[in-house]
Amino acid sequence: MAISRPKIPSELRRRVLIEAGHRCAIPTCKSTPVEIAHIIPWAKVRKHEFKNLIALCPTCHTRFDDPHGPIDRKAMRQYKANLNPLLSISLANRDGQANMLAAYQELRARLAEWLPIEVEYVAIKSRLSSSREKIEKIKSDAVDKLAWAIGAVADFQSAWGESEVSDLAGAIFYHVADWCDEVESAPFPLPEDLKQRDILEEISEASADLHLMVCEELSM
Ligand SMILES: [Zn+2]
């Protein structure tokens, strides 16, 4: 069956290559030369879009395309999100976009400071051997970082206005904040169900989506 598949435009191709530094996007591989792979197969989406393209070496490309292979689509989206697509975007002469990008980078930085402290808070509050002093100390660190995260979310939403991107950032933030409230109000030591939750895993897909949406919006 002949399916006519247009070539990937050279400008788009260049952005995908720059995003990965002209090396295989799997961080432990980084081989050259590279090919451009579709994360969701071309046959399904029938278009070439930046968010769906990634640079892979022929070996990783083959391993990814093999349905019984070790690399699934969720993992590949995570590899894509871990690249820095923002590097490949030129923001020159685009009103407001520098602000939007800065607000996003600030949000990422604040979440990256806050989340590990909360995770540690849970670990400490889960251990019977933890002293009250130790718990109070980590709790006050967590509150401090939460305040910064709240500020970053507010700034992000004001920079991005009413949009899907703002909504998603808010949803991720409140998902984590609700979990923090539960941890905060739960007795010591924390009950098993709270201990077992993996908050970073819970928000990983939404965070990857947010990242790719931000990249897409800024490159329009
Ligand atoms: Zn590779």
Side-chain angles (χ1 to χ4, degrees):
M1 189 172 62
I3 302 170
S4 99
R5 169 172 160 168
K7 269 183 69 173
I8 299 174
S10 60
E11 187 54 39
L12 179 56
R13 196 183 160 76
R14 183 176 302 113
R15 280 182 60 206
V16 175
L17 291 171
I18 291 174
E19 173 191 45
H22 286 73
R23 289 185 167 272
C24 179
I26 309 266
T28 46
C29 176
K30 296 223 177 221
S31 299
T32 57
V34 287
E35 309 168 346
I36 308 281
H38 290 74
I39 300 174
I40 300 170
W42 186 87
K44 214 167 187 177
V45 292
R46 300 283 179 131
K47 53 189 168 187
H48 304 306
E49 281 185 304
F50 179 71
K51 64 179 174 192
N52 192 42
L53 298 174
I54 191 163
L56 294 178
C57 73
T59 309
C60 291
H61 197 170
T62 306
R63 288 169 77 213
F64 176 54
D65 281 347
D66 173 3
H68 307 293
I71 312 172
D72 65 9
R73 231 183 301 288
K74 187 176 169 190
M76 194 54 80
R77 281 174 54 78
Q78 197 63 58
Y79 287 133
K80 169 86 179 175
N82 288 347
L83 296 169
N84 196 351
L86 298 167
L87 287 177
S88 64
I89 294 168
S90 152
L91 289 171
N93 303 321
R94 287 205 186 131
D95 291 337
Q97 293 213 324
N99 262 345
M100 291 159 85
L101 175 58
Y104 177 60
Q105 286 176 329
E106 175 73 8
L107 177 67
R108 267 175 71 116
R110 294 305 177 185
L111 291 179
E113 284 175 356
W114 172 44
L115 295 175
I117 304 274
E118 288 288 352
V119 168
E120 202 187 329
Y121 179 28
V122 168
I124 289 176
K125 203 175 167 179
S126 300
R127 277 198 293 274
L128 261 179
S129 59
S130 297
S131 66
R132 174 163 293 276
E133 209 181 358
K134 200 170 180 190
I135 296 173
E136 288 304 317
K137 162 90 177 62
I138 185 86
K139 184 174 140 184
S140 113
D141 280 356
V143 168
D144 204 40
K145 299 287 190 263
L146 167 64
W148 282 102
I150 291 173
V153 172
D155 288 349
F156 180 82
Q157 291 186 321
S158 105
W160 284 77
E162 268 185 45
S163 60
E164 224 184 312
V165 176
S166 281
D167 290 349
L168 183 56
I172 293 169
F173 172 77
Y174 285 111
H175 185 83
V176 180
D178 285 347
W179 168 75
C180 294
D181 278 349
E182 275 187 64
V183 169
E184 184 48 47
S185 52
F188 170 77
L190 287 183
E192 205 56 32
D193 58 326
L194 266 179
K195 251 197 294 192
Q196 297 296 335
R197 278 181 63 180
D198 183 347
I199 197 75
L200 299 180
E201 169 62 23
E202 286 176 27
I203 62 167
S204 76
E205 257 187 288
S207 304
D209 282 344
L210 177 68
H211 190 72
L212 298 176
M213 276 162 77
V214 164
C215 297
E216 197 63 18
E217 289 291 324
L218 289 179
S219 59
M220 270 200 308

